Amino acid sequence: MSEAADLVRKYGEGQSQFDELVGFVKCQECFSTLMGEITEQLGNESDAAGRMASQFPEMFKTYARATGLYNDEGNGEEEGGDGGEG
């Protein structure tokens, strides 16, 4: 069992804290590995998946695009701005 798999198993059983999951993430690959284990063991609707997405929004966006969970094709950046002229 990989370190990520073991960590998620312990979290799911209440033997570790969310902070331990956060501490595992050192890079995009670590995040992707951990999210893969979270979704496999706990489901993508799990509290842990949502919290990880909130904790690492840019890494989650990259992970979601790579796994097909998210596709922003055809959508521009929709951050701020009123977009209209009066």
Side-chain angles (χ1 to χ4, degrees), residues 29-40:
E29 185 177 346
C30 297
F31 180 84
S32 295
T33 299
L34 190 64
M35 283 299 293
E37 287 297 333
I38 288 171
T39 56
E40 183 177 313

Side-chain angles (χ1 to χ4, degrees), residues 1-13 21 33-46 48-49 63:
M1 180 177 281
S2 73
E3 182 180 354
D6 191 47
L7 191 58
V8 172
R9 180 188 59 77
K10 287 179 181 177
Y11 178 79
E13 294 173 352
L21 297 178
T33 299
L34 190 64
M35 283 299 293
E37 287 297 333
I38 288 171
T39 56
E40 183 177 313
Q41 292 185 41
L42 308 176
N44 24 336
E45 298 297 321
S46 71
Y63 169 79

Side-chain angles (χ1 to χ4, degrees), residues 24-33 59:
F24 180 82
V25 178
K26 306 289 186 218
C27 63
Q28 182 66 49
E29 185 177 346
C30 297
F31 180 84
S32 295
T33 299
M59 287 186 182

Side-chain angles (χ1 to χ4, degrees), residues 28 31 35 39 44 49-50 52-54 56-67 69-70:
Q28 182 66 49
F31 180 84
M35 283 299 293
T39 56
N44 24 336
M52 290 299 288
S54 295
F56 301 100
E58 291 304 313
M59 287 186 182
F60 179 75
K61 199 179 289 186
T62 300
Y63 169 79
R65 284 183 182 127
T67 59
L69 292 175
Y70 173 74

